[in-house]
Coordinates of all heavy atoms in Angstrom, one line a residue:
M1 N 0.8 -1.2 0.0 CA 0.0 0.0 0.0 C 0.9 1.3 0.0 O 0.3 2.3 0.1 CB -0.9 0.0 1.2 CG -2.0 -1.0 1.2 SD -3.3 -0.3 0.3 CE -4.6 -1.2 0.9
N2 N 2.1 1.1 -0.1 CA 3.0 2.2 0.0 C 3.1 2.9 -1.4 O 3.3 4.1 -1.5 CB 4.4 1.7 0.4 CG 5.0 2.6 1.4 OD1 4.3 3.6 1.9 ND2 6.2 2.3 1.8
A3 N 2.9 2.2 -2.5 CA 3.0 2.7 -3.8 C 2.0 3.8 -4.1 O 2.3 4.9 -4.6 CB 3.0 1.6 -4.9
P4 N 0.7 3.6 -3.8 CA -0.3 4.7 -4.1 C -0.1 5.9 -3.2 O -0.3 7.0 -3.7 CB -1.7 4.0 -3.7 CG -1.5 2.6 -3.8 CD 0.0 2.3 -3.4
N5 N 0.4 5.7 -2.0 CA 0.7 6.8 -1.1 C 1.8 7.6 -1.7 O 1.8 8.9 -1.6 CB 1.0 6.3 0.3 CG 0.8 7.3 1.3 OD1 0.3 8.4 1.0 ND2 1.3 7.1 2.5
E6 N 2.9 7.0 -2.2 CA 4.0 7.7 -2.8 C 3.5 8.4 -4.1 O 4.0 9.6 -4.3 CB 5.1 6.7 -3.2 CG 5.8 6.2 -2.0 CD 6.9 5.2 -2.4 OE1 7.2 5.0 -3.6 OE2 7.4 4.5 -1.4
K7 N 2.7 7.8 -4.9 CA 2.2 8.5 -6.1 C 1.4 9.8 -5.7 O 1.5 10.8 -6.3 CB 1.3 7.6 -6.9 CG 2.1 6.5 -7.6 CD 1.2 5.6 -8.5 CE 2.0 4.6 -9.2 NZ 1.2 3.7 -10.0
E8 N 0.6 9.6 -4.6 CA -0.2 10.8 -4.2 C 0.7 11.9 -3.7 O 0.5 13.1 -4.0 CB -1.2 10.4 -3.1 CG -2.5 9.8 -3.6 CD -3.5 9.6 -2.4 OE1 -3.6 10.5 -1.6 OE2 -4.1 8.6 -2.4
S9 N 1.7 11.5 -2.9 CA 2.6 12.6 -2.4 C 3.4 13.2 -3.5 O 3.6 14.4 -3.5 CB 3.5 12.0 -1.3 OG 4.3 11.0 -1.9
E10 N 3.8 12.4 -4.5 CA 4.5 13.0 -5.7 C 3.6 13.9 -6.5 O 4.0 15.0 -6.9 CB 5.0 11.8 -6.6 CG 5.7 12.3 -7.8 CD 7.0 13.0 -7.6 OE1 7.6 12.9 -6.5 OE2 7.4 13.8 -8.5
L11 N 2.3 13.5 -6.6 CA 1.3 14.3 -7.3 C 1.1 15.7 -6.6 O 1.1 16.7 -7.2 CB 0.0 13.6 -7.5 CG -1.1 14.3 -8.3 CD1 -0.6 14.7 -9.7 CD2 -2.4 13.5 -8.3
Q12 N 0.9 15.6 -5.3 CA 0.7 16.8 -4.5 C 2.0 17.7 -4.5 O 1.8 18.9 -4.6 CB 0.4 16.4 -3.0 CG -0.9 15.8 -2.8 CD -1.2 15.4 -1.4 OE1 -0.3 15.4 -0.6 NE2 -2.4 15.0 -1.1
R13 N 3.2 17.1 -4.5 CA 4.4 17.9 -4.6 C 4.5 18.6 -6.0 O 4.8 19.8 -6.0 CB 5.6 17.0 -4.5 CG 6.9 17.8 -4.3 CD 8.1 16.9 -4.3 NE 8.2 16.1 -5.5 CZ 8.7 16.5 -6.7 NH1 9.1 17.8 -6.8 NH2 8.8 15.7 -7.7
R14 N 4.1 17.9 -7.0 CA 4.1 18.6 -8.4 C 3.1 19.7 -8.5 O 3.3 20.7 -9.1 CB 3.9 17.5 -9.5 CG 5.1 16.6 -9.7 CD 4.8 15.7 -10.8 NE 5.9 14.9 -11.2 CZ 6.0 14.1 -12.2 NH1 5.0 14.0 -13.0 NH2 7.1 13.4 -12.4
E15 N 1.9 19.4 -7.9 CA 0.8 20.4 -7.9 C 1.3 21.7 -7.2 O 1.0 22.8 -7.6 CB -0.5 19.9 -7.4 CG -1.2 18.9 -8.3 CD -2.4 18.3 -7.6 OE1 -2.6 18.4 -6.4 OE2 -3.2 17.7 -8.3
Q16 N 1.9 21.5 -6.0 CA 2.4 22.6 -5.2 C 3.4 23.4 -6.0 O 3.4 24.6 -6.0 CB 2.9 22.1 -3.9 CG 3.4 23.2 -3.0 CD 2.2 24.2 -2.6 OE1 1.1 23.7 -2.4 NE2 2.5 25.4 -2.5
A17 N 4.3 22.7 -6.7 CA 5.4 23.4 -7.5 C 4.7 24.1 -8.6 O 5.2 25.3 -8.9 CB 6.4 22.3 -8.0
L18 N 3.7 23.6 -9.2 CA 3.0 24.3 -10.3 C 2.3 25.5 -9.8 O 2.4 26.6 -10.4 CB 2.0 23.4 -11.0 CG 1.2 23.9 -12.1 CD1 2.1 24.4 -13.3 CD2 0.2 22.9 -12.6
R19 N 1.7 25.4 -8.6 CA 1.0 26.6 -8.0 C 2.0 27.7 -7.7 O 1.8 28.9 -7.9 CB 0.2 26.2 -6.8 CG -1.1 25.6 -7.1 CD -1.9 25.5 -5.8 NE -1.3 24.5 -4.9 CZ -1.7 23.3 -4.7 NH1 -2.8 22.8 -5.4 NH2 -1.1 22.5 -3.8
D20 N 3.2 27.3 -7.2 CA 4.2 28.2 -6.8 C 4.7 29.0 -8.1 O 4.9 30.2 -8.1 CB 5.4 27.6 -6.2 CG 5.0 27.0 -4.8 OD1 4.0 27.5 -4.2 OD2 5.8 26.2 -4.2
R21 N 4.9 28.2 -9.2 CA 5.4 28.9 -10.4 C 4.3 29.8 -11.0 O 4.6 30.9 -11.4 CB 5.7 27.8 -11.5 CG 7.1 27.2 -11.2 CD 7.5 26.3 -12.4 NE 6.8 25.0 -12.1 CZ 6.6 24.0 -12.9 NH1 7.0 24.1 -14.2 NH2 6.0 22.9 -12.6
E22 N 3.0 29.4 -10.9 CA 1.9 30.2 -11.4 C 1.8 31.5 -10.6 O 1.6 32.6 -11.1 CB 0.6 29.5 -11.4 CG 0.5 28.4 -12.5 CD -0.8 27.6 -12.4 OE1 -1.4 27.7 -11.3 OE2 -1.1 26.9 -13.3
M23 N 2.0 31.4 -9.3 CA 1.9 32.6 -8.4 C 3.1 33.5 -8.7 O 2.9 34.7 -8.8 CB 1.9 32.2 -7.0 CG 1.7 33.4 -6.0 SD 1.5 32.9 -4.3 CE -0.1 32.2 -4.4
A24 N 4.3 33.0 -8.9 CA 5.4 33.8 -9.2 C 5.2 34.6 -10.5 O 5.5 35.7 -10.6 CB 6.7 33.0 -9.2
L25 N 4.7 33.9 -11.5 CA 4.4 34.5 -12.8 C 3.4 35.6 -12.7 O 3.5 36.7 -13.2 CB 3.9 33.4 -13.8 CG 3.6 33.9 -15.2 CD1 4.8 34.5 -15.9 CD2 3.0 32.8 -16.0
R26 N 2.3 35.3 -12.0 CA 1.3 36.3 -11.8 C 1.8 37.6 -11.0 O 1.5 38.7 -11.3 CB 0.1 35.7 -11.0 CG -1.1 36.6 -10.8 CD -1.7 37.0 -12.1 NE -2.8 38.0 -11.8 CZ -3.0 39.0 -12.6 NH1 -2.4 39.2 -13.7 NH2 -4.0 39.8 -12.3
L27 N 2.7 37.3 -10.0 CA 3.3 38.4 -9.3 C 4.1 39.3 -10.2 O 4.1 40.5 -10.1 CB 4.1 37.9 -8.1 CG 3.3 37.5 -6.9 CD1 4.2 36.8 -5.9 CD2 2.5 38.6 -6.3
R28 N 4.9 38.7 -11.1 CA 5.7 39.4 -12.1 C 4.8 40.2 -13.0 O 5.1 41.4 -13.3 CB 6.6 38.5 -12.9 CG 7.8 38.0 -12.1 CD 8.8 37.4 -13.1 NE 8.3 36.2 -13.8 CZ 8.4 35.0 -13.3 NH1 9.0 34.7 -12.2 NH2 8.0 34.0 -14.1
E29 N 3.7 39.6 -13.4 CA 2.8 40.4 -14.3 C 2.2 41.6 -13.6 O 2.1 42.7 -14.1 CB 1.6 39.4 -14.8 CG 2.1 38.4 -15.8 CD 1.0 37.4 -16.1 OE1 -0.1 37.5 -15.4 OE2 1.2 36.6 -17.0
L30 N 1.8 41.4 -12.3 CA 1.2 42.5 -11.6 C 2.3 43.6 -11.3 O 1.9 44.8 -11.4 CB 0.7 42.0 -10.2 CG -0.6 41.2 -10.3 CD1 -0.9 40.6 -8.9 CD2 -1.7 42.0 -10.8
E31 N 3.5 43.2 -11.0 CA 4.6 44.2 -10.9 C 4.8 45.0 -12.2 O 5.0 46.2 -12.1 CB 5.9 43.6 -10.5 CG 5.9 43.1 -9.0 CD 7.2 42.4 -8.7 OE1 8.0 42.2 -9.6 OE2 7.3 42.1 -7.5
A32 N 4.7 44.3 -13.3 CA 4.9 45.0 -14.6 C 3.7 46.0 -14.8 O 3.9 47.1 -15.4 CB 4.9 44.0 -15.7
E33 N 2.5 45.7 -14.4 CA 1.4 46.6 -14.6 C 1.5 47.8 -13.7 O 1.2 48.9 -14.1 CB 0.1 45.8 -14.3 CG -0.3 44.8 -15.3 CD -1.6 44.1 -14.9 OE1 -2.3 44.5 -13.9 OE2 -2.0 43.2 -15.6
I34 N 2.0 47.6 -12.5 CA 2.1 48.7 -11.5 C 3.3 49.6 -11.8 O 3.1 50.8 -11.7 CB 2.3 48.1 -10.1 CG1 1.0 47.4 -9.7 CG2 2.7 49.2 -9.1 CD1 1.2 46.6 -8.4
S35 N 4.4 49.1 -12.2 CA 5.6 50.0 -12.4 C 5.3 50.8 -13.7 O 4.9 50.3 -14.7 CB 6.8 49.1 -12.6 OG 6.8 48.3 -13.7
P36 N 5.7 52.1 -13.6 CA 5.5 53.0 -14.7 C 6.5 52.7 -15.8 O 7.6 52.2 -15.6 CB 5.7 54.4 -14.2 CG 6.6 54.2 -13.0 CD 6.2 52.8 -12.4
P37 N 6.1 53.0 -17.1 CA 7.1 52.8 -18.2 C 8.2 53.8 -18.0 O 8.1 54.8 -17.5 CB 6.2 53.0 -19.4 CG 5.1 53.9 -19.0 CD 4.9 53.5 -17.5
P38 N 9.4 53.4 -18.6 CA 10.5 54.3 -18.5 C 10.2 55.6 -19.3 O 9.6 55.6 -20.3 CB 11.7 53.6 -19.2 CG 11.0 52.5 -20.0 CD 9.7 52.2 -19.3
V39 N 10.7 56.7 -18.7 CA 10.4 58.0 -19.3 C 11.6 58.4 -20.3 O 12.7 58.3 -19.8 CB 10.3 59.1 -18.3 CG1 10.1 60.5 -18.9 CG2 9.1 58.8 -17.3
L40 N 11.3 58.6 -21.5 CA 12.3 59.0 -22.5 C 12.6 60.5 -22.4 O 11.7 61.3 -22.2 CB 11.9 58.6 -23.9 CG 11.6 57.1 -24.1 CD1 11.1 56.9 -25.5 CD2 12.8 56.3 -23.9
P41 N 13.9 60.8 -22.6 CA 14.2 62.3 -22.5 C 13.6 63.0 -23.8 O 13.6 62.4 -24.9 CB 15.7 62.3 -22.5 CG 16.1 61.0 -23.2 CD 15.0 60.0 -22.8
T42 N 13.2 64.2 -23.6 CA 12.7 65.0 -24.7 C 13.8 65.7 -25.4 O 14.8 66.1 -24.8 CB 11.6 66.0 -24.2 OG1 12.2 66.9 -23.3 CG2 10.4 65.3 -23.6
V43 N 13.6 66.0 -26.7 CA 14.6 66.6 -27.5 C 14.0 67.8 -28.2 O 13.0 67.6 -28.8 CB 15.3 65.6 -28.5 CG1 16.3 66.3 -29.4 CG2 15.8 64.4 -27.8
K44 N 14.6 69.0 -28.1 CA 14.1 70.1 -28.8 C 14.5 70.1 -30.2 O 15.7 69.7 -30.5 CB 14.6 71.4 -28.2 CG 13.8 71.9 -27.0 CD 14.3 73.3 -26.6 CE 13.3 73.8 -25.6 NZ 13.6 75.2 -25.2
H45 N 13.7 70.5 -31.1 CA 14.0 70.6 -32.5 C 14.8 71.9 -32.8 O 14.5 72.9 -32.2 CB 12.8 70.6 -33.4 CG 12.0 69.3 -33.3 ND1 12.5 68.1 -33.9 CD2 10.9 68.9 -32.7 CE1 11.6 67.1 -33.7 NE2 10.6 67.6 -33.0
D46 N 15.8 71.8 -33.6 CA 16.6 72.9 -33.9 C 15.8 73.8 -34.9 O 15.3 73.3 -35.9 CB 17.9 72.6 -34.5 CG 18.8 71.8 -33.5 OD1 18.7 72.1 -32.3 OD2 19.7 71.0 -34.0
R47 N 15.7 75.1 -34.5 CA 15.1 76.0 -35.4 C 16.0 76.4 -36.5 O 17.2 76.5 -36.3 CB 14.7 77.3 -34.7 CG 13.5 77.1 -33.7 CD 12.3 76.6 -34.4 NE 11.1 77.3 -34.0 CZ 10.1 77.4 -34.8 NH1 10.0 76.8 -35.9 NH2 9.0 78.0 -34.4
P48 N 15.5 76.7 -37.7 CA 16.4 77.2 -38.8 C 17.1 78.5 -38.3 O 16.5 79.3 -37.6 CB 15.5 77.5 -39.9 CG 14.2 76.8 -39.6 CD 14.1 76.6 -38.1
T49 N 18.3 78.6 -38.7 CA 19.1 79.7 -38.3 C 18.7 81.0 -39.0 O 18.8 82.1 -38.4 CB 20.6 79.5 -38.6 OG1 20.8 79.2 -40.0 CG2 21.1 78.3 -37.7
S50 N 18.2 80.9 -40.2 CA 17.8 82.2 -40.8 C 16.3 82.1 -41.2 O 15.7 81.1 -41.3 CB 18.6 82.4 -42.1 OG 18.3 81.4 -43.1
A51 N 15.8 83.3 -41.5 CA 14.4 83.4 -41.9 C 14.2 82.8 -43.3 O 13.1 82.2 -43.6 CB 14.0 84.9 -41.9
M52 N 15.2 82.8 -44.1 CA 15.2 82.2 -45.4 C 14.9 80.7 -45.3 O 14.1 80.1 -46.1 CB 16.5 82.5 -46.2 CG 16.4 82.0 -47.6 SD 15.3 83.0 -48.5 CE 16.1 83.1 -50.1
Q53 N 15.6 80.0 -44.4 CA 15.4 78.6 -44.3 C 14.1 78.3 -43.8 O 13.4 77.3 -44.2 CB 16.5 78.0 -43.3 CG 17.9 77.9 -43.9 CD 18.9 77.4 -42.9 OE1 18.6 77.5 -41.7 NE2 20.0 76.9 -43.3
Q54 N 13.6 79.1 -42.9 CA 12.2 78.9 -42.3 C 11.2 79.0 -43.4 O 10.2 78.3 -43.5 CB 12.0 79.8 -41.2 CG 10.8 79.4 -40.3 CD 10.7 80.3 -39.1 OE1 11.4 81.2 -38.9 NE2 9.8 79.9 -38.2
Q55 N 11.4 80.1 -44.3 CA 10.5 80.3 -45.4 C 10.5 79.1 -46.3 O 9.5 78.7 -46.9 CB 10.9 81.6 -46.1 CG 9.9 82.1 -47.1 CD 8.6 82.7 -46.5 OE1 8.6 83.0 -45.3 NE2 7.6 82.8 -47.2
L56 N 11.7 78.6 -46.6 CA 11.8 77.5 -47.5 C 11.1 76.3 -47.0 O 10.4 75.6 -47.7 CB 13.3 77.2 -47.7 CG 13.6 76.0 -48.7 CD1 13.1 76.3 -50.1 CD2 15.1 75.8 -48.7
R57 N 11.2 76.0 -45.7 CA 10.5 74.9 -45.1 C 9.0 75.0 -45.2 O 8.3 74.1 -45.5 CB 10.9 74.7 -43.6 CG 12.2 74.0 -43.5 CD 12.4 73.6 -42.0 NE 13.7 73.0 -41.9 CZ 14.3 72.9 -40.8 NH1 13.8 73.2 -39.6 NH2 15.5 72.3 -40.7
N58 N 8.5 76.2 -45.0 CA 7.1 76.5 -45.1 C 6.6 76.2 -46.6 O 5.5 75.7 -46.8 CB 6.7 77.9 -44.7 CG 6.8 78.1 -43.2 OD1 6.7 77.1 -42.5 ND2 6.9 79.3 -42.7
W59 N 7.4 76.7 -47.6 CA 7.0 76.5 -49.0 C 7.0 75.0 -49.3 O 6.2 74.5 -50.0 CB 8.0 77.2 -49.9 CG 7.7 78.7 -50.0 CD1 8.4 79.7 -49.4 CD2 6.6 79.3 -50.7 NE1 7.8 80.9 -49.7 CE2 6.7 80.7 -50.6 CE3 5.6 78.8 -51.5 CZ2 5.8 81.6 -51.1 CZ3 4.7 79.7 -52.1 CH2 4.8 81.0 -51.9
L60 N 8.0 74.3 -48.8 CA 8.1 72.8 -49.0 C 6.9 72.1 -48.4 O 6.3 71.2 -49.1 CB 9.4 72.2 -48.5 CG 10.6 72.5 -49.3 CD1 11.8 72.0 -48.6 CD2 10.5 71.9 -50.7
K61 N 6.5 72.5 -47.2 CA 5.3 71.9 -46.6 C 4.1 72.1 -47.4 O 3.2 71.3 -47.6 CB 5.1 72.4 -45.2 CG 6.1 71.8 -44.2 CD 5.8 72.4 -42.8 CE 6.9 71.9 -41.8 NZ 6.6 72.5 -40.5
T62 N 3.9 73.4 -47.9 CA 2.8 73.8 -48.7 C 2.8 73.0 -50.0 O 1.7 72.5 -50.5 CB 2.8 75.3 -49.0 OG1 2.8 76.0 -47.7 CG2 1.6 75.7 -49.7
A63 N 3.9 72.9 -50.7 CA 4.0 72.1 -51.9 C 3.7 70.7 -51.7 O 3.0 70.1 -52.6 CB 5.4 72.3 -52.5
K64 N 4.1 70.1 -50.6 CA 3.8 68.7 -50.4 C 2.3 68.5 -50.2 O 1.6 67.6 -50.7 CB 4.5 68.2 -49.1 CG 5.9 67.9 -49.3 CD 6.6 67.4 -48.0 CE 8.0 67.3 -48.1 NZ 8.6 66.9 -46.8
F65 N 1.6 69.4 -49.5 CA 0.2 69.4 -49.2 C -0.6 69.5 -50.5 O -1.5 68.7 -50.8 CB -0.2 70.4 -48.2 CG -1.7 70.5 -48.0 CD1 -2.3 69.5 -47.2 CD2 -2.5 71.5 -48.5 CE1 -3.6 69.5 -46.9 CE2 -3.8 71.5 -48.2 CZ -4.4 70.5 -47.4
I66 N -0.2 70.5 -51.4 CA -0.9 70.7 -52.6 C -0.7 69.5 -53.5 O -1.6 69.0 -54.2 CB -0.4 72.0 -53.3 CG1 -0.9 73.2 -52.5 CG2 -0.9 72.1 -54.7 CD1 -0.3 74.5 -52.9
G67 N 0.5 68.9 -53.5 CA 0.8 67.7 -54.4 C -0.1 66.5 -53.9 O -0.6 65.8 -54.7
L68 N -0.2 66.4 -52.6 CA -1.1 65.3 -52.1 C -2.5 65.5 -52.5 O -3.2 64.5 -52.9 CB -0.9 65.3 -50.5 CG -1.7 64.2 -49.8 CD1 -1.2 62.8 -50.2 CD2 -1.7 64.4 -48.3
I69 N -3.0 66.7 -52.4 CA -4.4 67.0 -52.8 C -4.6 66.7 -54.3 O -5.6 66.1 -54.7 CB -4.8 68.4 -52.4 CG1 -4.8 68.6 -50.9 CG2 -6.2 68.8 -52.9 CD1 -5.7 67.7 -50.1
A70 N -3.6 67.2 -55.1 CA -3.7 67.0 -56.5 C -3.7 65.5 -56.9 O -4.4 65.0 -57.7 CB -2.6 67.8 -57.2
G71 N -2.8 64.8 -56.2 CA -2.7 63.4 -56.5 C -4.0 62.6 -56.1 O -4.4 61.8 -56.9
A72 N -4.5 63.0 -55.0 CA -5.8 62.4 -54.6 C -6.9 62.7 -55.6 O -7.8 61.9 -55.9 CB -6.2 62.9 -53.2
G73 N -6.9 64.0 -56.1 CA -7.9 64.4 -57.1 C -7.8 63.6 -58.4 O -8.8 63.1 -59.0
I74 N -6.6 63.4 -58.8 CA -6.3 62.6 -60.0 C -6.8 61.2 -59.8 O -7.5 60.6 -60.7 CB -4.8 62.7 -60.4 CG1 -4.5 64.1 -60.9 CG2 -4.5 61.7 -61.5 CD1 -3.0 64.3 -61.1
V75 N -6.5 60.6 -58.7 CA -6.9 59.2 -58.4 C -8.4 59.1 -58.4 O -9.0 58.2 -58.9 CB -6.3 58.7 -57.1 CG1 -6.9 57.4 -56.7 CG2 -4.8 58.5 -57.3
F76 N -9.1 60.1 -57.8 CA -10.5 60.2 -57.7 C -11.1 60.2 -59.1 O -12.1 59.5 -59.4 CB -10.9 61.4 -56.9 CG -12.4 61.5 -56.7 CD1 -13.1 60.7 -55.8 CD2 -13.2 62.4 -57.4 CE1 -14.5 60.8 -55.6 CE2 -14.5 62.5 -57.3 CZ -15.2 61.7 -56.4
V77 N -10.6 61.1 -60.0 CA -11.1 61.2 -61.4 C -10.9 59.9 -62.1 O -11.8 59.5 -62.9 CB -10.4 62.4 -62.1 CG1 -10.7 62.4 -63.6 CG2 -10.8 63.7 -61.4
I78 N -9.8 59.3 -61.9 CA -9.5 58.0 -62.7 C -10.4 56.9 -62.2 O -11.0 56.1 -63.0 CB -8.0 57.6 -62.5 CG1 -7.1 58.5 -63.2 CG2 -7.8 56.2 -63.0 CD1 -5.6 58.3 -63.0
V79 N -10.7 56.8 -60.9 CA -11.5 55.8 -60.4 C -13.0 56.0 -60.9 O -13.7 55.0 -61.2 CB -11.5 55.7 -58.8 CG1 -12.6 54.9 -58.3 CG2 -10.1 55.3 -58.4
F80 N -13.5 57.2 -60.8 CA -14.8 57.5 -61.2 C -14.9 58.0 -62.6 O -15.7 58.0 -63.4 CB -15.5 58.5 -60.3 CG -15.7 57.9 -58.9 CD1 -14.9 58.3 -57.8 CD2 -16.7 57.0 -58.7 CE1 -15.1 57.7 -56.6 CE2 -16.9 56.4 -57.4 CZ -16.1 56.8 -56.4

């Protein structure tokens, strides 16, 4: 009658080990939820040194926008 008793004790030992691992995993998950994410340093953008460069950037942004609208219009006309 010793064999079934040993099997039961082995089974209980394995179940306890499994519960311990599950609890440790859940605790790590909870700690990850609680701890805040790392804060990244902010970086300022360099402003153009001259007014001419700033004006050029504004013109480029405007040209890109107009090109996007024109391209969308052409695609719209082709589709319909």
